[in-house]
């Protein structure tokens, strides 16, 4: 099988490339990545001789079309994905997440190529802290940021191209990922790398916001389960029953790294900060048989901490610019 992975130098995409080559021998992988700040070619150093790498923009039809024409499957990870950045400048989110998805959909329609669309649970908005319900594939979309609204729009484009043009596509909406190769601007790696540098972690507001955490390896195995066994036109939610509020995550990181659990600083909450995400992945599990391998968030977090300790050469070049940006924002 020839697989085109967009955003394959990013966090989840790079892990997907590594897993695919390891777990599916014989698969030919082409990576398309624009190499913005979130795409790191070093994430693919170990497999560079096993893949074809193309630096380019998913919104550039001249680049996209021949790559799709030569593929059996497109897995679309490429996205602008940071809420804070979308509040500062929404325009790249519109261009990549909406125009990029449109460009890919038109290419797979022309060439009759199977397509899988990676999305986020943030398209559903948020839940109240005391609400026992979880997001399901039929939960109405209610995005609250330029990032999540652009991802919601991209999901709807996929659904329309399936219905209007018969594109063979599936969608997955996943909860918060953590694990190797995640940019240090993100919540968990930022706290880990701060502590490696002897800097107190920073916590938005009271830290009561709840996220449903899943290890990136479990996410990507679910993606393959959907590609292999999912029904065309369907949406599957990927989650590992990993609900935990941000305060507890920070405290667990501190404990695992040998610090007092209260050794963190509060900073001002960000505008429109969603309170709680929670995934009901029962449809995915029932139809594909998938189940997470990292059933303990603590174990997965310990593995992640160890990875960042052992791979400072990968994340160190990103760190100074990231912290400078946050410092200017008072965070």
């Amino acid at each position: 099988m020839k697989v085109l992975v967009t955003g394959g130098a990013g966090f989840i995409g790079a892990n997907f490339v590594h897993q695919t080559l390891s777990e599916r021998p014989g698969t030919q992988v082409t990576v398309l990545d624009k190499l913005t700040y979130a795409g790191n070619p070093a994430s693919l150093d170990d497999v560079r001789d096993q893949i074809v790498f193309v630096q380019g923009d998913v919104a550039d039809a001249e680049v996209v079309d021949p790559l799709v024409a030569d593929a059996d499957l497109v897995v679309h990870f490429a996205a602008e994905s940071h809420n804070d950045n979308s509040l500062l400048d929404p325009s790249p989110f519109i261009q990549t997440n909406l125009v990029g998805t449109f460009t890919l959909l038109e290419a797979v329609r022309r060439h009759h190529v199977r397509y899988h669309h990676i999305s986020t649970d943030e398209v559903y908005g948020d839940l109240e802290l005391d609400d026992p319900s979880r997001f399901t594939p039929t939960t109405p979309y209610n995005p609250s940021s330029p990032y999540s609204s652009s991802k919601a729009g991209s999901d709807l484009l996929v659904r329309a191209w399936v219905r209007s043009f018969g594109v063979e596509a599936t969608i997955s909406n996943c909860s918060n990922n953590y694990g190797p190769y995640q940019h240090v601007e993100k919540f968990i790696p930022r706290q880990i790398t701060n502590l490696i540098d002897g800097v107190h972690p920073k916590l938005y507001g009271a830290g009561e916001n709840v996220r449903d955490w899943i290890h990136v390896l479990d996410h990507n195995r679910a993606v393959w389960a959907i590609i292999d066994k999912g029904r065309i036109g369907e949406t599957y939610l990927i989650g590992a029953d990993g609900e935990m509020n941000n305060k507890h995550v920070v405290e667990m990181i501190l404990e695992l790294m040998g610090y007092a659990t209260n050794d963190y600083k509060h900073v001002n909450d960000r505008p429109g900060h969603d309170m709680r995400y929670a995934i009901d992945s029962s449809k995915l599990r029932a139809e594909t048989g998938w189940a997470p391998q990292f059933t303990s968030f603590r174990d997965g977090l310990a593995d992640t901490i160890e990875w960042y300790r052992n791979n400072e050469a990968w994340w160190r070049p990103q760190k100074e610019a990231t912290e400078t940006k946050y410092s200017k924002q008072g965070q």
Side-chain angles (χ1 to χ4, degrees):
M1 178 182 282
K2 295 181 178 181
V3 181
L4 173 62
V5 181
T6 72
F11 163 42
I12 306 177
N15 279 284
F16 184 83
V17 171
H18 282 274
Q19 286 174 261
T20 298
L21 294 171
S22 173
E23 299 174 4
R24 292 178 172 250
T27 303
Q28 298 178 42
V29 175
T30 298
V31 170
L32 172 63
D33 200 295
K34 192 177 179 180
L35 294 182
T36 64
Y37 78 96
N40 189 343
S43 301
L44 299 172
D45 280 351
D46 292 347
V47 296
R48 182 69 64 160
D49 60 347
Q50 301 176 59
I51 65 173
V52 174
F53 182 85
V54 178
Q55 183 173 353
D57 190 340
V58 291
D60 186 340
E62 292 186 2
V63 172
V64 165
D65 193 77
L67 296 176
V68 171
D70 191 43
D72 302 308
L73 166 69
V74 175
V75 187
H76 180 33
F77 288 94
E80 291 285 345
S81 65
H82 197 284
N83 269 307
D84 290 344
N85 293 346
S86 80
L87 296 170
L88 293 171
D89 181 10
S91 58
F93 294 78
I94 303 304
Q95 183 66 18
T96 297
N97 299 352
L98 287 170
V99 178
T101 298
F102 163 76
T103 303
L104 284 167
L105 286 169
E106 286 291 87
V108 298
R109 176 161 78 104
R110 277 191 298 272
H111 300 292
H112 308 288
V113 175
R114 173 79 163 86
Y115 174 91
H116 182 74
H117 185 75
I118 306 293
S119 192
T120 172
D121 59 355
E122 296 188 40
V123 299
Y124 301 111
D126 62 348
L127 301 163
E128 296 297 330
L129 294 179
D130 58 356
D131 185 347
S133 63
R134 296 182 176 192
F135 299 138
T136 73
T138 59
T139 300
Y141 278 20
N142 187 30
S144 56
S145 71
Y147 159 57
S148 55
S149 61
S150 66
K151 288 299 292 183
S154 71
D155 292 4
L156 296 177
L157 288 175
V158 176
R159 293 182 182 184
W161 261 243
V162 170
R163 181 165 178 174
S164 298
F165 306 118
V167 166
E168 292 193 0
T170 43
I171 299 171
S172 58
N173 298 84
C174 191
S175 55
N176 287 59
N177 280 229
Y178 69 98
Y181 299 112
Q182 189 171 26
H183 194 285
V184 294
E185 72 178 2
K186 299 293 189 175
F187 178 59
I188 286 178
R190 187 182 182 209
Q191 313 314 325
I192 293 170
T193 54
N194 275 346
L195 283 169
I196 290 172
D197 285 346
V199 177
H200 294 276
K202 296 177 174 64
L203 188 65
Y204 282 129
E208 294 179 350
N209 309 69
V210 172
R211 299 296 178 260
D212 194 348
W213 294 99
I214 184 172
H215 196 282
V216 64
L217 300 183
D218 283 329
H219 175 197
N220 285 334
R221 290 190 182 103
V223 169
W224 269 117
I226 295 166
I227 293 167
D228 289 337
K229 301 177 182 178
R231 291 177 289 136
I232 296 300
E234 292 295 313
T235 295
Y236 296 88
L237 270 59
I238 304 174
D241 300 324
E243 282 190 68
M244 186 173 296
N245 72 32
N246 292 345
K247 179 173 178 288
H248 287 152
V249 173
V250 166
E251 290 172 346
M252 190 177 293
I253 292 171
L254 285 161
E255 178 193 347
L256 289 169
M257 296 184 71
Y259 289 82
T261 57
N262 62 351
D263 198 6
Y264 59 86
K265 296 179 180 178
H266 289 278
V267 296
N268 292 333
D269 209 351
R270 74 179 185 217
H273 196 176
D274 288 344
M275 287 307 300
R276 173 175 166 259
Y277 307 144
I279 287 285
D280 178 350
S281 60
S282 57
K283 176 181 175 181
L284 168 69
R285 300 184 191 219
E287 293 192 16
T288 71
W290 172 88
Q293 295 184 16
F294 283 89
T295 55
S296 163
F297 176 70
R298 182 185 183 87
D299 290 347
L301 189 57
D303 277 4
T304 302
I305 290 169
E306 191 67 16
W307 190 89
Y308 280 92
R309 279 180 165 151
N310 294 334
N311 290 274
E312 184 169 341
W314 180 86
W315 59 263
R316 179 60 63 187
Q318 313 165 0
K319 187 64 176 171
E320 183 178 356
T322 298
E323 292 307 318
T324 298
K325 179 188 72 175
Y326 275 117
S327 178
K328 290 178 180 178
Q329 299 171 21
Q331 299 168 350

